[in-house]
Amino acid sequence: DQQVKQNSPSLSVQEGRISILNCDYTNSMFDYFLWYKKYPAEGPTFLISISSIKDKNEDGRFTVFLNKSAKHLSLHIVPSQPGDSAVYFCAASVSSYGQNFVFGPGTRLSVLP
Amino acid sequence: NAGVMQNPRHLVRRRGQEARLRCSPMKGHSHVYWYRQLPEEGLKFMVYLQKENIIDESGMPKERFSAEFPKEGPSILRIQQVVRGDSAAYFCASSPVSGAGQPQHFGDGTRLSIL
């Protein structure tokens, strides 16, 4: 029972273009969402988050969009850089239950020079 | 990932042995979380601890696994009588407080290999 899904295992984008990573969830009680980036042999690094009271949050080149009715969120990276090549994990939690984050399986982004 | 320290980075054990994984949270963080990642999968929550208390262990296998976060010293994830299926990357995360809107900060993990 996968509550957080990332249906694209991999994505390739040209340097300078936009990268769009998608995430779908099934649990309507999730109210806090995060994106993490992970390089090989390292731990996940927090990128950006959004609470369910918002539909957009922006931080530099990274923007997260939340569509609650569709139970869908996306991460936009503009412009994409070769250093963005990594595995990106979407995560979600129910705040009132504490900090049990549920992670998606990840999408491997390759930014081609 | 500077701040959350996990050791060892790699641990090799034979079936039936015990594995001890250590995690020192970021300075000022009193909340610790353990996750396990199997190959080609996302991270799976195991346990959430505060100092001297287990808050949520809903993701921990019922047998052979235990965790502690003593008043002094690092958090320990202990796996007794390891089996091949325990081979995975184990990540520790910490946060300064619990509750809504708090990202967790992760260490670089311990890669456990069972021979």
Side-chain angles (χ1 to χ4, degrees):
Chain A
D1 176 27
Q2 207 172 28
Q3 296 187 70
V4 178
K5 303 176 185 179
Q6 293 177 258
N7 292 322
S8 297
S10 62
L11 174 69
S12 291
V13 170
Q14 209 69 35
E15 181 179 3
R17 307 291 274 266
I18 184 172
S19 295
I20 300 177
L21 297 104
N22 293 303
C23 177
D24 297 288
Y25 60 95
T26 57
N27 188 344
S28 56
M29 293 186 69
F30 286 147
D31 58 2
Y32 181 57
F33 305 88
L34 312 91
W35 284 94
Y36 281 85
K37 176 170 76 171
K38 186 180 181 303
Y39 294 119
E42 293 185 11
T45 300
F46 170 70
L47 274 177
I48 193 168
S49 63
I50 189 168
S51 75
S52 58
I53 61 173
K54 294 186 174 182
D55 54 19
K56 176 183 174 181
N57 189 25
E58 194 171 351
D59 184 1
R61 296 186 299 115
F62 302 93
T63 303
V64 55
F65 295 92
L66 175 62
N67 183 334
K68 289 188 290 293
S69 61
K71 294 193 182 69
H72 176 85
L73 64 155
S74 61
L75 175 68
H76 292 210
I77 306 173
V78 182
S80 301
Q81 300 172 354
D84 296 330
S85 297
V87 177
Y88 288 77
F89 291 99
C90 170
S93 71
V94 179
S95 302
S96 58
Y97 287 176
Q99 290 284 69
N100 177 352
F101 285 2
V102 180
F103 280 81
T107 296
R108 184 177 302 276
L109 173 66
S110 299
V111 180
L112 310 172
Chain B
N1 296 319
V4 178
M5 302 302 294
Q6 289 189 249
N7 68 82
R9 290 295 309 276
H10 302 272
L11 182 60
V12 179
R13 285 287 178 267
R14 296 189 180 281
R15 281 178 294 172
Q17 291 184 321
E18 178 179 289
R20 281 185 179 236
L21 289 64
R22 294 175 189 78
C23 169
S24 296
M26 286 181 71
K27 190 174 181 181
H29 288 194
S30 58
H31 300 256
V32 165
Y33 317 83
W34 285 93
Y35 292 81
R36 175 166 64 176
Q37 184 184 24
L38 296 172
E40 305 304 319
E41 294 187 13
L43 284 73
K44 297 284 194 293
F45 169 79
M46 299 181 74
V47 62
Y48 162 36
L49 310 103
Q50 294 178 30
K51 283 285 187 181
E52 300 184 278
N53 289 303
I54 297 175
I55 307 302
D56 180 357
E57 56 181 349
S58 59
M60 286 276 272
K62 294 287 184 276
E63 297 176 350
R64 301 188 298 109
F65 285 71
S66 62
E68 63 176 4
F69 189 16
K71 188 176 180 181
E72 301 291 338
S75 175
I76 306 285
L77 180 66
R78 182 182 177 204
I79 311 172
Q80 295 177 290
Q81 298 175 316
V82 296
V83 301
R84 285 259 170 87
D86 296 333
S87 295
Y90 292 82
F91 290 96
C92 169
S94 71
S95 65
V97 295
S98 182
Q102 297 296 326
Q104 297 170 12
H105 300 274
F106 283 82
D108 285 339
T110 293
R111 275 137 191 91
L112 176 63
S113 298
I114 309 303
L115 303 179

